[in-house]
Amino acid sequence: MRVEFLGGVRTVTGSATLLEKGSLKWLVDCGLFQGSKELGEKNWKIESYQAQHLSFVLLTHAHIDHSGLIPKLVQEGFRGKVICTKATRDLCEVMLEDSAHIQEMEAEWQTRKGKRAGKKEAVPLYTVKDAEESLRYFQTVNYGERFQLANGIKVRFQDAGHILGSAIIEIWVEEQGEEKKLIFSGDLGNSGQPLVRDPSIIEEGDILWLESTYGNRLHKTREETIQELLKIIQEAMAHRAKVIIPAFAVERTQEIIYTLGQFIRQGDIPSIPIFIDSPLAISATEIFKRNTDCFDQETQDLLLGGENPLEIPEIIYTQTTEESKAINEDSRPGVIVSASGMCDAGRIQHHLKHHLWRKESHIVIIGYQAEGTIGRRIVDGAKTVRLFGEEIAVNARIHTLGGFSAHADQRGLLNWVSHIQNPQLEVFVNHGEESMSIKLGQLLSEQFHFKTVVPQWREKRVLFGDEERRVPEEKGEEGLPPEESFSVLYRHLERTYKRLRRKLKREKKRGEDFYAPRLLRQLEEVNKKLEELEEEL
């Protein structure tokens, strides 16, 4: 059996793993690369996916970084089955169409821009028609249902607790007369989230593909995060200002609706307008209401009691462009929830343009911000960001609330892995920025003594062969990082230093505990370590 890592390795986008057993080929996930221009160019070069020869795509969930290349795959000749949960299929119907619309709009903009330079007409990666066509190949399964994918291959989807319909995928294969088990974690959820259940526990397996989005970070507790959001909203209301929340249309928006509804019902904040300014989020919320079987017990109990936590009178859904523009003419204090969550596209950019420069406004970042995105630059302390060809000053109050993350943090990932009862488990650490994946791989090796691998893009491996044949065809990073990790860690150090410098300048400007003894001691320790390293070199 062979595997090729086509995406979602040393990055958080483009998740795709190609598996081959004999003449059978199938993918686990088929995600769009997002972020930098270099990553985006990979979306156009998918020959290695072998679209015409694939029999299946096993889809963990609907997020575009896991599903967004399926229309392109169909465009290139895929005629197999896309297997997923019903909720994932329902969400993909609106999310893939939305992604296609963005592709068409981007191509139209590039064409207008290119005409002035005498360039050819730009072509979208795929169209709305392609997205609609791709839905023909979707086939749904239930959680916990073990089914035969092909001769000698069985599959089961378990709840990943990440977003509605998200799944951990278990695959049993017959190899050399033995049954072996592969586990794909997909994106693992953050335990204790409202609406969705906690991730299912898996106790047996031979090879694990484990996400590492937050492989080197710990979230604040949910209670701390809720109280912090409440304080932000109360402060904004006191100054008659607005709170802007860039939010992913699926799960994060619904969780914010749930939380704001709690604040209002408990009397923690007054009845204020809550604008949900994302057609995709509006559609996704309706899909949530149709898939209540995916909800956790707490939410089920609320529904049985006649209370729908996704329906509150203060919500104003804005479908049209005109309604969206009118929000920024509304002088009332309030909350604006808009997509995209990484601020790289969508209506959120218009709201940022209107509010980033205002000192009284609050920007609340509640989700992961990938490298190269506008959201990441804001979080890292950029003084200006470019929106619609204009440099916008970042004067607003910027808040990062990690407790709303739909991803398990480092502690959550390690706790989930600890239930797998196989000391010989082999782990491929994927779906994380390089530094995150490397750190998590180190911890897995140190704490559990598992063999861990942080694969390279397009790396190929033989699974379950003789020991000699398990050596990668293109050397990857195993266990503790080898020499090649020096450059990775050096780049990470440079980025960390730049972020630290920007944040220190910002704190100094605010004057809040800037000269605190604890901070001074930490800086002295870092400086001492750097001096020792310099002497060694």
Side-chain angles (χ1 to χ4, degrees):
M1 187 171 183
R2 299 167 66 89
V3 61
E4 183 173 356
F5 301 91
L6 297 176
V9 288
R10 300 173 185 252
T11 179
V12 292
T13 67
S15 285
T17 304
L18 176 64
L19 294 165
E20 300 181 35
K21 179 172 168 55
S23 60
L24 188 71
K25 296 179 173 67
W26 73 98
L27 287 177
V28 175
D29 287 339
C30 188
L32 191 75
F33 288 94
Q34 299 166 295
S36 69
K37 183 179 179 181
E38 180 184 359
L39 283 173
E41 287 173 353
K42 292 180 179 179
N43 294 318
W44 295 88
K45 303 169 184 177
I46 66 166
E47 296 84 1
S48 56
Y49 291 48
Q50 304 182 53
Q52 295 182 19
H53 302 290
L54 290 174
S55 298
F56 307 97
V57 175
L58 301 179
L59 182 59
T60 61
H61 64 286
H63 275 156
I64 291 301
D65 57 332
H66 291 258
S67 70
L69 271 184
I70 291 174
K72 179 67 173 174
L73 199 72
V74 172
Q75 188 189 88
E76 295 290 325
F78 172 72
R79 295 298 180 267
K81 295 177 182 177
V82 179
I83 301 175
C84 61
T85 64
K86 176 186 175 295
T88 293
R89 193 267 177 211
D90 290 351
L91 288 170
C92 278
E93 183 172 357
V94 296
M95 295 184 74
L96 292 178
E97 183 177 335
D98 181 76
S99 175
H101 179 67
I102 291 171
Q103 301 298 332
E104 290 181 345
M105 294 291 287
E106 176 68 18
E108 184 181 331
W109 181 79
Q110 291 287 355
T111 296
R112 287 200 307 268
K113 182 181 175 183
K115 275 183 178 179
R116 295 191 291 269
K119 294 181 179 179
K120 293 181 180 179
E121 182 177 343
V123 177
L125 181 67
Y126 53 81
T127 65
V128 170
K129 186 177 179 181
D130 292 326
E132 292 171 349
E133 171 70 12
S134 71
L135 294 169
R136 290 178 48 202
Y137 302 98
F138 278 65
Q139 177 179 306
T140 63
V141 295
N142 298 320
Y143 285 130
E145 178 184 297
R146 185 163 164 171
F147 62 93
Q148 186 158 314
L149 185 71
N151 188 34
I153 304 174
K154 295 177 182 177
V155 174
R156 181 167 64 192
F157 282 57
Q158 302 276 41
D159 200 333
H162 173 57
I163 67 169
L164 195 78
S166 62
I168 300 159
I169 299 178
E170 300 171 284
I171 305 173
W172 289 266
V173 296
E174 290 181 13
E175 280 288 316
Q176 301 174 353
E178 291 185 73
E179 187 174 71
K180 299 288 186 178
K181 183 181 175 185
L182 315 178
I183 308 165
F184 286 81
S185 73
D187 285 358
L188 285 175
N190 192 11
S191 294
Q193 291 185 88
L195 301 175
V196 296
R197 293 184 286 262
D198 289 349
S200 300
I201 297 301
I202 308 297
E203 297 182 338
E204 297 177 346
D206 296 291
I207 301 180
L208 168 66
W209 279 255
L210 179 65
E211 70 119 323
S212 56
T213 309
Y214 287 103
N216 196 21
R217 293 187 190 166
L218 299 175
H219 299 322
K220 289 182 179 179
T221 66
R222 176 165 174 77
E223 186 55 40
E224 286 177 310
T225 301
I226 288 174
Q227 289 305 311
E228 193 172 350
L229 177 62
L230 176 60
K231 183 179 177 183
I232 291 165
I233 294 174
Q234 289 174 337
E235 184 178 342
M237 298 306 99
H239 294 89
R240 297 193 58 77
K242 283 198 169 64
V243 177
I244 317 300
I245 306 179
F248 296 105
V250 177
E251 202 65 46
R252 294 290 62 73
T253 293
Q254 291 74 36
E255 184 174 354
I256 289 296
I257 292 172
Y258 181 100
T259 304
L260 295 177
Q262 280 187 320
F263 290 163
I264 292 171
R265 285 189 290 270
Q266 294 167 4
D268 294 326
I269 60 173
S271 178
I272 56 172
I274 299 168
F275 299 97
I276 307 299
D277 188 30
S278 164
L280 177 57
I282 295 168
S283 299
T285 302
E286 290 304 312
I287 290 169
F288 268 67
K289 294 175 184 178
R290 297 202 304 266
N291 286 274
T292 56
D293 57 304
C294 294
F295 288 172
D296 62 10
Q297 192 58 53
E298 181 182 353
T299 309
Q300 296 278 7
D301 291 344
L302 286 173
L303 291 170
L304 286 172
E307 184 179 329
N308 191 325
L310 295 178
E311 293 179 355
I312 52 178
E314 288 75 11
I315 288 183
I316 302 170
Y317 290 108
T318 51
Q319 282 277 12
T320 68
T321 304
E322 290 71 24
E323 289 171 333
S324 176
K325 290 179 178 177
I327 295 173
N328 291 309
E329 304 300 323
D330 191 324
S331 61
R332 292 177 296 172
V335 178
I336 302 172
V337 183
S338 187
S340 71
M342 294 187 193
C343 310
D344 255 14
R347 295 179 177 179
I348 188 62
Q349 292 196 336
H350 292 278
H351 299 303
L352 290 175
K353 183 179 178 180
H354 278 84
H355 290 277
L356 270 177
W357 58 273
R358 300 176 188 268
K359 292 182 179 180
E360 69 275 15
S361 295
H362 294 256
I363 314 298
V364 181
I365 305 294
I366 61 171
Y368 184 80
Q369 306 298 309
E371 285 189 2
T373 61
I374 290 173
R376 181 62 166 264
R377 292 199 289 277
I378 292 172
V379 168
D380 284 349
K383 292 184 177 180
T384 64
V385 294
R386 194 168 184 81
L387 294 167
F388 305 106
E390 184 179 346
E391 289 294 327
I392 308 296
V394 181
N395 295 327
R397 298 286 298 274
I398 310 299
H399 311 270
T400 304
L401 306 186
F404 279 115
S405 175
H407 288 269
D409 64 3
Q410 183 189 89
R411 186 185 296 112
L413 292 168
L414 293 173
N415 179 61
W416 185 81
V417 171
S418 71
H419 292 90
I420 301 176
Q421 304 300 309
N422 179 7
Q424 303 303 315
L425 183 72
E426 184 173 351
V427 184
F428 293 121
V429 184
N430 67 355
H431 201 277
E433 291 177 10
E434 240 168 353
S435 59
M436 296 287 182
S437 297
I438 289 169
K439 181 61 179 177
L440 186 62
Q442 288 176 312
L443 289 173
L444 290 167
S445 295
E446 292 166 2
Q447 293 190 22
F448 305 109
H449 307 292
F450 294 149
K451 179 181 179 182
T452 63
V453 178
V454 181
Q456 299 281 358
W457 179 58
R458 295 296 311 278
E459 180 182 324
K460 300 175 183 177
R461 283 179 170 259
V462 176
L463 305 178
F464 308 123
D466 298 331
E467 191 63 31
E468 296 78 26
R469 297 185 65 219
R470 295 182 69 179
V471 175
E473 296 175 18
E474 298 172 21
K475 183 71 174 172
E477 181 167 344
E478 302 203 18
L480 300 178
E483 303 81 31
E484 69 164 39
S485 297
F486 180 87
S487 59
V488 172
L489 294 171
Y490 180 71
R491 289 199 304 272
H492 180 63
L493 178 64
E494 281 191 311
R495 289 196 296 266
T496 304
Y497 170 70
K498 288 177 182 177
R499 289 198 299 269
L500 177 63
R501 187 172 60 182
R502 285 196 294 264
K503 289 179 179 179
L504 285 172
K505 284 184 178 179
R506 192 167 63 208
E507 293 303 312
K508 185 177 181 181
K509 187 177 179 181
R510 289 179 183 171
E512 299 174 1
D513 297 324
F514 180 73
Y515 297 104
R518 179 183 59 81
L519 179 60
L520 198 58
R521 282 197 304 273
Q522 288 177 321
L523 288 173
E524 286 173 348
E525 288 173 11
V526 171
N527 190 58
K528 183 179 178 181
K529 290 287 184 185
L530 288 173
E531 287 176 349
E532 289 173 357
L533 178 60
E534 184 185 20
E535 286 179 12
E536 285 185 27
L537 296 174

